[in-house]
Amino acid sequence: MQKIGILNSNIAKVLADLGHTDKICVGDCGLPVPAGTPKIDLALRLGEPKFIEVVKEMAKYMEIQKVYIAPETEKENPEQWKALHEVFPEDAVEWVMLDSHEELKAWEKDCKAVIRTGEITPYSNIILESGVIF
């Protein structure tokens, strides 16, 4: 049994399989997942686990070079926007502002997986792009 790290075997496998520029999405419980894109469903009940808790844990174990986010997050969910900037300071990773939430949803089809949280605040969705550790 694994003692440290992400214990969810599906997430651990996706992270281990990521290569440079591969993407993974973390979203709220309402984010639709395109047919054919693997969904890792962590939602336990409304609000749990929280989106930011999952993102923080992902950031511990994934080399992230870019974060992709929709502008609606900044406007409609400033608390989440602030929390994401604490996890991903702009001097540490590149922030890519997409044109819209609809564009973020279109990008999901290119993700290795979508992790669904129990988050119930609007626009709590992000795409993380893998960097390299060398």
Side-chain angles (χ1 to χ4, degrees):
M1 179 174 198
Q2 187 171 321
K3 289 176 29 175
I4 61 168
I6 293 178
L7 299 179
N8 181 289
S9 60
N10 294 318
I11 296 174
K13 170 112 175 76
V14 169
L15 289 177
D17 287 344
L18 289 177
H20 188 216
T21 73
D22 283 342
K23 295 172 183 65
I24 191 166
C25 180
V26 181
D28 57 41
C29 67
L31 184 67
V33 179
T37 301
K39 175 174 70 172
I40 301 171
D41 195 341
L42 300 179
L44 178 62
R45 61 179 155 259
L46 291 178
E48 292 182 25
K50 295 186 179 304
F51 166 81
I52 199 65
E53 291 172 355
V54 175
V55 169
K56 284 178 182 179
E57 203 63 22
M58 296 290 294
K60 288 181 193 176
Y61 300 103
M62 178 181 173
E63 183 66 31
I64 299 166
Q65 68 180 15
K66 290 182 186 177
V67 296
Y68 297 81
I69 195 159
E72 290 90 342
T73 305
E74 181 179 20
K75 294 174 191 162
E76 303 294 330
N77 197 341
E79 184 176 311
Q80 203 72 275
W81 180 262
K82 180 181 177 203
L84 286 167
H85 275 80
E86 289 171 6
V87 177
F88 304 112
E90 290 189 23
D91 61 346
V93 299
E94 181 181 345
W95 278 68
V96 179
M97 182 71 75
L98 300 173
D99 290 332
S100 68
H101 183 60
E102 292 303 314
E103 184 181 11
L104 183 134
K105 291 191 290 188
W107 278 55
E108 284 182 86
K109 70 181 183 339
D110 296 324
C111 291
K112 297 294 181 179
V114 173
I115 299 172
R116 179 177 176 246
T117 69
E119 185 64 51
I120 56 173
T121 63
Y123 304 107
S124 293
N125 308 294
I126 195 167
I127 293 174
L128 307 173
E129 181 178 288
S130 180
V132 292
I133 58 173
F134 56 87

